[in-house]
Amino acid sequence: MPTAIPEDSVGLVSPRAQSFSEPLSLACGRSLANYELVYETYGELNKTRSNAVLICHALSGHHHAAGYHSMDDRKPGWWDSCIGPGKAIDTRKFFVVSLNNLGGCNGSTGPSSINPATGTPFGADFPVMTVEDWVNSQARLADTLGISQWAAVVGGSLGGMQAMQWTISYPERVRHCLAIASAPKLSAQNIAFNEVARQAILTDPEFHGGHFQEHGVIPKRGLMLARMVGHITYLSDDAMGEKFGRGLKSEKLNYDFHSVEFQVESYLRYQGEEFSGRFDANTYLLMTKALDYFDPAAAYDGDLARTLEVAKADFCVMSFTTDWRFSPARSREIVDALMAARKNVCYLEIDAPQGHDAFLMPIPRYLQAFSSYMNRIAV
Amino acid sequence: MPTAIPEDSVGLVSPRAQSFSEPLSLACGRSLANYELVYETYGELNKTRSNAVLICHALSGHHHAAGYHSMDDRKPGWWDSCIGPGKAIDTRKFFVVSLNNLGGCNGSTGPSSINPATGTPFGADFPVMTVEDWVNSQARLADTLGISQWAAVVGGSLGGMQAMQWTISYPERVRHCLAIASAPKLSAQNIAFNEVARQAILTDPEFHGGHFQEHGVIPKRGLMLARMVGHITYLSDDAMGEKFGRGLKSEKLNYDFHSVEFQVESYLRYQGEEFSGRFDANTYLLMTKALDYFDPAAAYDGDLARTLEVAKADFCVMSFTTDWRFSPARSREIVDALMAARKNVCYLEIDAPQGHDAFLMPIPRYLQAFSSYMNRIAV
């Protein structure tokens, strides 16, 4: 709980909801007739509507990126270190829009919403979403906000994929794209980890084919395992070593099959259990599928440079040395393609021990580079 | 099925069983009153009993390391590429002993054996084993075979840990130690992956606190997930990319929550399902625990060099460039400690794309180095 709101915070914020009634056609062939997107905004839209920045969230993210919902909040929004007055995304300069993606579980229409056709939750009947679908839905949100062009679309990880997709789907509508700790597509290993997470959920007896809400249960075990395996990939080996090493939970070893012996086990179990109480299992499946499917270059026989030729944005790509989920090599693939496509691109590889999660952390060199880039954007 | 036994095979082999009735004290404080070890031997023990080599197996391994059990066998033993006449561990020179470790599920006494005290399977009542316990039980097997000193103790991964422990627990009884793709202890990340595997098994409703045999079920789902996550760590990112890339299972994407879209998903599911039908869940827990607990330097405040001072063996340490489970850096920790302890040590880092599993594969440079080292051993 903040005893007082910090000066560099956007302060108390409230989410808003926007309903859409024009059907949205999806990559899967289906369409959503009606849907709602929940979003927050920080800062003020200027008169020429030229200072809007879109924040795209990653797998388990949501619209609440900065500030506090109440004075009782224990923590601010998930990217508060980067969004606020004087911060990298300076809300004195920019009008920031942050939404919960379609298919999410934090207010926007998703698997846990009521399906108007049946009167019961969509569950596994909710359509699978792709990054392209999200960008299309985000474009409609921009329309309702009167934003014809974003000064920048910004995202980390899966959010970076959305930022890239914006420059391909709507080249006229984005001036700058910031793709942080991202990748042009998943590797076989990335897909494999997602598949373990999905199998953990799908095989949980309380998943009930995705209709667990009607059974009054939650596939907690599956979600817990999915989060545990995900969490390992968010941290570097070094970061885990630094944080836990082989530190013991108690003073001595228990030597049995089920006790928590090491602190890292305790940490992972806690992370898994906490997550399983607040996240929707179908949304987790949907998010991992969106990651798997993302491969914009597939339309051009894998030629990413050719794919990005259509883009009109300038690009800023950032990666972190110890990120093994989306390693610097994956960011360099994006940079190489952008150079081959003769786009303006800044690239920074940040020396950071935290692994993939580094993009969420207040690392001085990262914040400095991020600020520098954002400060140079003309509005 | 071999239509004919290859010339460089040890040929048809049969496992033998050895019963022990003197209680074995274990690190956990308990003891095993009676137990049986299943083992195979290849080659002939020479008159001076100086040519015996012990093979120590890894997590899911067993005694059947080389040759065939029958002409109907689809595949030879798990290390057939390295054991046989003219191979790295040349059975024309050496007498090779390969056992199933205590707590295993391939014939030696383990959780699926009948507990004489209750008349029902041990299940989760089987004591947790450590690498030290295994080495003590292996020493007793050596006694019954009349082997007072091994020419070499050899193992990969968890097997390499046993080989190292031999030089510490029984320095007079081992002349050469070969530790391949191994580590002096698990890292926090290593433990974390084991913990995900364990939680998958422990939370499977069909685990029944480890007494699933009495319920006539198998925690297949947990074992499947455990194997899937394990399998990812056995392969390198590159090897997975090379083998599967983003290749699709069918011609086009299904865009739903449960379909197998990518070949890598299909491969992992198959590996997981196949494994869950043949491996014991309690043994899996036990093996991961033995890995977690291994940390011989803990007795010397983490000083591995001091720990290894007692060793009288010469050492051969080998690692593989793309192994990220036990990376070359982990092998170099062993080598550095051995040098500090003024031991004879050969170290080879083999350029191989296969990841951790490389130690099981017929990689020419690996086989050549392995052969060279073994050939120089005086018997």
Side-chain angles (χ1 to χ4, degrees):
Chain A
M1 181 190 343
T3 48
I5 299 286
E7 271 192 30
D8 63 353
S9 168
V10 298
L12 289 173
V13 295
S14 295
R16 267 166 282 177
Q18 177 68 47
S19 294
F20 298 84
S21 53
E22 199 189 330
L24 181 74
S25 297
L26 305 170
C28 64
R30 295 166 61 189
S31 69
L32 270 178
N34 300 284
Y35 58 94
E36 202 168 275
L37 291 175
V38 165
Y39 67 100
E40 292 183 359
T41 67
Y42 320 116
E44 299 292 330
L45 187 60
N46 64 9
K47 285 202 178 135
T48 54
R49 297 169 182 271
S50 65
N51 70 333
V53 170
L54 177 67
I55 307 295
C56 302
H57 70 72
L59 200 148
S60 61
H62 46 66
H63 52 284
H64 184 41
Y68 299 84
H69 282 162
S70 83
M71 292 302 286
D72 294 334
D73 277 4
R74 206 169 46 85
K75 285 193 297 187
W78 59 268
W79 222 6
D80 198 80
S81 60
C82 295
I83 303 167
K87 292 183 183 171
I89 302 175
D90 192 337
T91 48
R92 296 170 309 194
K93 175 180 179 182
F94 293 111
F95 173 66
V96 179
V97 178
S98 173
L99 81 160
N100 185 214
N101 275 333
L102 263 182
C105 56
N106 292 86
S108 293
T109 304
S112 46
S113 308
I114 297 298
N115 181 350
T118 63
T120 56
F122 280 101
D125 295 335
F126 196 83
V128 161
M129 305 291 300
T130 66
V131 168
E132 277 176 278
D133 295 332
W134 281 333
V135 167
N136 290 336
S137 68
Q138 290 161 2
R140 291 203 183 168
L141 178 64
D143 293 342
T144 67
L145 295 170
I147 297 162
S148 57
Q149 186 187 62
W150 299 104
V153 181
V154 185
S157 193
L158 176 55
M161 293 172 174
Q162 295 160 58
M164 276 186 275
Q165 187 62 48
W166 260 98
T167 72
I168 299 165
S169 295
Y170 299 97
E172 310 285 351
R173 298 190 70 172
V174 48
R175 296 205 301 283
H176 294 271
C177 165
L178 288 88
I180 306 167
S182 195
K185 64 186 174 197
L186 294 203
S187 69
Q189 190 189 68
N190 293 148
I191 296 172
F193 277 119
N194 279 347
E195 175 62 4
V196 172
R198 280 192 295 267
Q199 283 299 311
I201 292 170
L202 291 168
T203 63
D204 186 322
E206 307 208 293
F207 181 64
H208 294 290
H211 293 284
F212 49 87
Q213 280 173 283
E214 285 140 273
H215 290 77
V217 292
I218 290 170
K220 272 188 83 99
R221 283 177 296 249
L223 261 171
M224 181 195 74
L225 292 169
R227 181 61 163 186
M228 286 172 78
V229 73
H231 211 85
I232 299 176
T233 70
Y234 305 150
L235 300 180
S236 69
D237 190 10
D238 284 354
M240 274 199 157
E242 191 74 26
K243 201 165 178 174
F244 309 107
R246 294 178 53 86
L248 298 182
K249 185 75 174 21
S250 320
E251 266 179 45
K252 60 198 239 349
L253 293 167
N254 296 291
Y255 289 113
D256 63 35
F257 286 170
H258 57 274
S259 287
V260 171
E261 301 280 28
F262 297 96
Q263 285 166 18
V264 65
E265 298 172 277
S266 166
Y267 170 78
L268 270 190
R269 285 195 201 182
Y270 172 79
Q271 291 289 337
E273 278 172 20
E274 188 271 336
F275 187 74
S276 70
R278 70 175 164 87
F279 208 81
D280 177 66
N282 287 309
T283 291
Y284 201 89
L285 296 178
L286 181 148
M287 294 285 165
T288 62
K289 280 289 185 180
L291 276 164
D292 286 9
Y293 289 134
F294 182 68
D295 186 8
Y300 295 93
D301 280 333
D303 186 341
L304 188 61
R306 176 82 188 76
T307 311
L308 288 162
E309 260 174 28
V310 69
K312 292 193 182 306
D314 290 345
F315 290 79
C316 173
V317 177
M318 290 190 273
S319 68
F320 301 90
T321 46
T322 59
D323 183 353
W324 62 281
R325 185 177 174 89
F326 297 145
S327 71
R330 311 305 312 279
S331 280
R332 287 194 297 265
E333 287 174 42
I334 300 168
V335 172
D336 289 350
L338 286 167
M339 290 197 297
R342 297 173 177 278
K343 304 297 165 189
N344 284 329
V345 54
C346 287
Y347 174 57
L348 189 67
E349 189 174 314
I350 296 136
D351 202 358
Q354 295 95 338
H356 187 60
D357 268 359
F359 85 87
L360 297 165
M361 297 184 184
I363 298 160
R365 188 160 161 70
Y366 167 46
L367 297 186
Q368 194 178 28
F370 200 167
S371 290
S372 299
Y373 191 92
M374 293 302 294
N375 288 342
R376 288 202 318 268
I377 294 178
V379 296
Chain B
M1 183 190 340
T3 49
I5 299 286
E7 272 192 27
D8 63 353
S9 169
V10 298
L12 288 173
V13 295
S14 295
R16 266 166 284 176
Q18 178 68 49
S19 294
F20 298 84
S21 53
E22 198 188 329
L24 182 73
S25 297
L26 305 171
C28 64
R30 296 167 60 190
S31 70
L32 269 178
N34 300 284
Y35 57 95
E36 202 169 274
L37 290 176
V38 166
Y39 68 99
E40 291 183 1
T41 66
Y42 321 116
E44 299 292 331
L45 188 60
N46 63 10
K47 283 196 181 145
T48 54
R49 299 170 181 269
S50 65
N51 70 335
V53 170
L54 176 67
I55 307 295
C56 301
H57 70 71
L59 199 149
S60 61
H62 45 67
H63 53 284
H64 183 40
Y68 299 84
H69 282 161
S70 84
M71 292 301 284
D72 294 334
D73 277 4
R74 205 169 47 85
K75 286 193 295 187
W78 59 269
W79 223 7
D80 198 81
S81 59
C82 294
I83 304 166
K87 293 183 183 172
I89 302 174
D90 192 337
T91 49
R92 295 171 309 193
K93 175 180 180 182
F94 293 110
F95 173 65
V96 179
V97 178
S98 172
L99 81 160
N100 184 213
N101 274 333
L102 264 181
C105 55
N106 292 86
S108 292
T109 303
S112 46
S113 306
I114 298 297
N115 181 351
T118 62
T120 57
F122 281 101
D125 296 335
F126 196 83
V128 162
M129 305 291 300
T130 65
V131 168
E132 276 176 279
D133 295 332
W134 281 333
V135 167
N136 290 336
S137 68
Q138 290 160 3
R140 293 204 180 167
L141 178 64
D143 294 342
T144 66
L145 295 170
I147 297 163
S148 58
Q149 186 186 61
W150 298 103
V153 181
V154 185
S157 192
L158 175 55
M161 294 173 174
Q162 295 159 58
M164 276 186 274
Q165 186 63 49
W166 261 97
T167 70
I168 300 164
S169 296
Y170 299 97
E172 311 285 349
R173 298 190 71 173
V174 47
R175 296 205 301 283
H176 293 271
C177 165
L178 288 88
I180 306 168
S182 196
K185 63 184 174 198
L186 294 203
S187 69
Q189 191 189 68
N190 293 148
I191 296 172
F193 276 119
N194 280 346
E195 174 63 5
V196 172
R198 280 193 294 268
Q199 282 299 312
I201 291 170
L202 291 167
T203 64
D204 187 322
E206 306 209 296
F207 182 64
H208 294 289
H211 293 284
F212 48 87
Q213 281 174 282
E214 285 139 272
H215 290 78
V217 291
I218 291 171
K220 273 189 80 102
R221 161 190 170 264
L223 262 171
M224 181 195 75
L225 291 170
R227 181 61 163 184
M228 285 173 78
V229 73
H231 211 86
I232 298 176
T233 70
Y234 305 150
L235 300 180
S236 69
D237 190 10
D238 283 354
M240 274 200 158
E242 191 75 26
K243 203 164 176 175
F244 308 107
R246 295 180 51 87
L248 299 181
K249 185 77 173 26
S250 320
E251 267 180 43
K252 58 197 238 351
L253 294 166
N254 296 291
Y255 289 114
D256 63 38
F257 287 169
H258 57 274
S259 287
V260 171
E261 301 280 27
F262 297 96
Q263 285 167 19
V264 66
E265 298 172 276
S266 167
Y267 170 78
L268 271 190
R269 286 194 202 183
Y270 172 80
Q271 291 288 337
E273 277 172 20
E274 187 272 338
F275 187 75
S276 70
R278 68 174 164 88
F279 208 81
D280 178 65
N282 287 310
T283 292
Y284 201 90
L285 296 178
L286 182 149
M287 294 285 165
T288 62
K289 281 288 186 182
L291 275 163
D292 286 8
Y293 290 134
F294 182 69
D295 185 9
Y300 295 94
D301 280 333
D303 186 340
L304 188 62
R306 177 81 188 76
T307 311
L308 288 162
E309 260 173 28
V310 69
K312 293 193 181 302
D314 290 344
F315 289 79
C316 173
V317 177
M318 289 191 272
S319 67
F320 301 90
T321 46
T322 58
D323 183 351
W324 63 279
R325 186 178 174 87
F326 296 145
S327 71
R330 312 305 311 280
S331 280
R332 286 194 298 265
E333 287 174 42
I334 301 168
V335 172
D336 289 350
L338 287 167
M339 290 196 298
R342 296 173 179 276
K343 304 297 165 190
N344 283 331
V345 54
C346 285
Y347 174 57
L348 187 68
E349 188 175 315
I350 295 136
D351 201 0
Q354 294 95 337
H356 187 60
D357 268 359
F359 85 88
L360 297 165
M361 297 185 185
I363 298 160
R365 190 162 160 69
Y366 167 47
L367 296 187
Q368 194 178 30
F370 200 168
S371 291
S372 299
Y373 191 92
M374 294 301 295
N375 287 342
R376 287 201 319 267
I377 294 177
V379 295

